[in-house]
Amino acid sequence: MGKKDRNAPRTAYVTLRDMPGTRVMFWVVDECPYCGERHLHLAGNLRDADPADTLVEVAAPCAPERRYELTLPPRPKRKVAKDERRKARRAARADTLTDDWDDEP
């Protein structure tokens, strides 16, 4: 087992924002993995650019010799308990409907 490569690019989670009054979009790195500051990276024009194309490995503005990869933050996992509550509600609703049908002559 070797040591972790220290020159490997780190991941930086980004959010897409547009500049008010213009058509320019930016990827905003809220916390740089190297300095902890906020950085902006051009994502393109609102009309004719796909911002996903600019989610690539870029040089960090605070240290140009270091690089990080722009990625979207992970989506939260779906809660299992929520599904169980839905199933219980549906089952209870189905029971009340069948009870109502049984009571009718």
Side-chain angles (χ1 to χ4, degrees), residues 2-43:
K3 290 186 177 181
K4 184 177 178 183
D5 186 14
R6 294 178 191 235
N7 295 331
R10 296 186 181 177
T11 58
Y13 296 118
V14 295
T15 54
L16 184 64
R17 298 196 183 143
D18 61 337
M19 183 176 284
T22 67
R23 295 184 183 137
V24 179
M25 295 182 298
F26 289 97
W27 288 114
V28 178
V29 178
D30 285 326
E31 189 173 332
C32 174
Y34 300 113
C35 68
E37 296 293 321
R38 178 179 286 179
H39 299 303
L40 302 174
H41 297 278
L42 188 62

